[in-house]
Amino acid sequence: MRAAWLLSALVVPQLLGFSHGARGVEREWEGGWGGAQEEEREREALMLKHLQEALGLPVRRGDQNPEGNSEGRGAWATEEDGQGEEGEEEPTPTPHVSPSPSPTPEDAITYILGRLAGLDAGLHQVHVRLHALDTRVAELTRGLRQLREVAGDTRDAVQALQEAQSRAEREHGRLEGCLKGARLGHKCFLLSRDFEAQAAAQARCVARGGSLAQPADSRQMETLTRYLRAALAPYNWPVWLGVHDRRAEGLYLFENGQRVSFFAWHRAPSPEPGVRPSAAPHPLSPNQPNGGVLENCVAQASDDGSWWDHDCDRRLYYVCEFPY
């Protein structure tokens, strides 16, 4: 009995001292590690706050006071240490702490990273669609270029056909004029019984390879007169010639721009012998030209071949001439 008491007196104080020293070392280690955790939490909270501000997300209340949480955690740790020291004498049950309903910084970072991943996936899809659109636009541009080339070739072909048709019409008109009309030297005259204004008649003659008739001398005038009288007898029809004074009153020119040197103007009939000539103009056949600036184009009468000036917009027969 005495031996057992001595053994307990020697061993128990040593064990208690070892236990107290170990608990002190543990408190020192926990204090250093707790400070490092607090600094890490502060850095995480600051990074989270900057990231939320950059993305425009609302700042959560649980993230506004990370220091308070760390202080609370430190106070709780101190309390636990105090309770532990007292617990050597009397153990105290550990209180059960319910988890906080507010999200942790790790949850917010995970949410932000998920949103960024979704945005990255969306941008990738947009890039894929833009690439497809660029490919389609390139194909359409290539097709449009080919269509333009084909359209240009077609336009050139149509223009060549139109030119060939115009040459064929001019050649046909020239042959028709010389075969059906009156020929004199290197000229052929052909009457057209279509009513046209003087400018339109000139255009029709040019399209057929000729021009309105331009009798340059008395011989051509006599040939043209005989041809018109035989073609329109027994009637008297005015027929457009290629003579006008549109450029200047009294300056008569042919359609080719040459000045007219031969005229066959109509004159009023002479009075009978013994009858005094009247000073008034003849009411039905006055001397020509008499229209002034209102009548600037010349037509030839089919009965006697005389020239009359008329309004250029009047619609008359016309006679074309063609080179032989």
Side-chain angles (χ1 to χ4, degrees):
M1 186 67 180
R2 184 181 295 273
W5 183 85
L6 290 173
L7 180 62
S8 63
L10 293 174
V11 173
V12 169
Q14 294 179 1
L15 291 176
L16 290 176
F18 177 77
S19 173
H20 182 72
R23 184 172 296 276
V25 173
E26 183 179 355
R27 282 198 302 269
E28 292 178 1
W29 180 80
E30 286 181 357
W33 176 252
Q37 285 183 342
E38 289 178 4
E39 292 180 0
E40 184 67 23
R41 289 193 191 95
E42 290 178 1
R43 285 196 296 271
E44 289 180 357
L46 185 60
M47 291 174 60
L48 177 61
K49 182 178 179 181
H50 291 328
L51 187 58
Q52 289 176 347
E53 291 177 355
L55 294 177
L57 297 175
V59 181
R60 302 182 181 273
R61 294 182 179 179
D63 301 335
Q64 291 178 357
N65 191 11
E67 295 180 356
N69 294 336
S70 60
E71 289 176 359
R73 186 176 297 272
W76 178 254
T78 307
E79 239 177 61
E80 284 183 352
D81 293 340
Q83 290 178 1
E85 291 177 357
E86 296 175 359
E88 293 178 356
E89 299 176 359
E90 183 179 356
T92 305
T94 304
H96 178 71
V97 181
S98 61
S100 175
S102 60
T104 63
E106 289 79 3
D107 295 336
I109 292 175
T110 304
Y111 170 75
I112 293 170
L113 292 177
R115 290 290 300 273
L116 291 175
L119 291 175
D120 185 52
L123 287 175
H124 177 69
Q125 293 180 0
V126 170
H127 285 308
V128 171
R129 293 182 181 179
L130 286 177
H131 178 70
L133 288 176
D134 289 339
T135 305
R136 184 59 177 167
V137 168
E139 293 176 356
L140 292 176
T141 303
R142 192 181 307 110
L144 181 60
R145 188 183 303 111
Q146 294 176 356
L147 288 176
R148 286 178 177 175
E149 292 176 357
V150 173
D153 296 340
T154 304
R155 184 169 55 251
D156 295 340
V158 170
Q159 185 176 0
L161 288 175
Q162 290 177 348
E163 293 176 357
Q165 182 181 2
S166 299
R167 289 194 299 270
E169 289 180 355
R170 290 194 296 269
E171 186 65 19
H172 179 267
R174 186 182 68 81
L175 293 175
E176 184 182 16
C178 292
L179 290 175
K180 295 182 179 181
R183 183 171 67 86
L184 176 63
H186 298 287
K187 280 187 178 183
C188 300
F189 299 104
L190 180 64
L191 173 67
S192 177
R193 297 174 185 267
D194 296 327
F195 291 98
E196 297 288 351
Q198 201 268 352
Q202 169 65 10
R204 294 284 295 273
C205 291
V206 170
R208 298 178 64 183
S211 176
L212 283 175
Q214 302 172 142
D217 51 33
S218 59
R219 186 167 173 236
Q220 295 181 12
M221 186 66 195
E222 291 173 1
T223 302
L224 183 59
T225 299
R226 288 195 300 269
Y227 169 66
L228 293 178
R229 185 185 299 119
L232 297 175
Y235 306 103
N236 181 20
W237 291 93
V239 179
W240 284 127
L241 299 178
V243 180
H244 62 85
D245 64 342
R246 287 191 293 260
R247 182 178 301 178
E249 181 62 25
L251 177 62
Y252 288 91
L253 303 173
F254 288 123
E255 289 295 336
N256 59 8
Q258 294 181 357
R259 188 168 182 175
V260 179
S261 59
F262 171 80
F263 297 94
W265 293 114
H266 173 77
R267 293 290 179 253
S270 301
E272 297 180 359
V275 178
R276 183 178 179 181
S278 176
H282 195 282
L284 298 179
S285 59
N287 293 332
Q288 298 295 317
N290 67 339
V293 296
L294 300 178
E295 298 178 345
N296 295 321
C297 295
V298 177
Q300 179 176 336
S302 63
D303 57 351
D304 60 356
S306 59
W307 289 7
W308 295 66
D309 61 345
H310 290 282
D311 183 6
C312 296
D313 292 330
R314 185 177 178 182
R315 299 168 64 86
L316 304 175
Y317 288 169
Y318 57 95
V319 58
C320 299
E321 70 173 35
F322 303 93
Y324 179 72

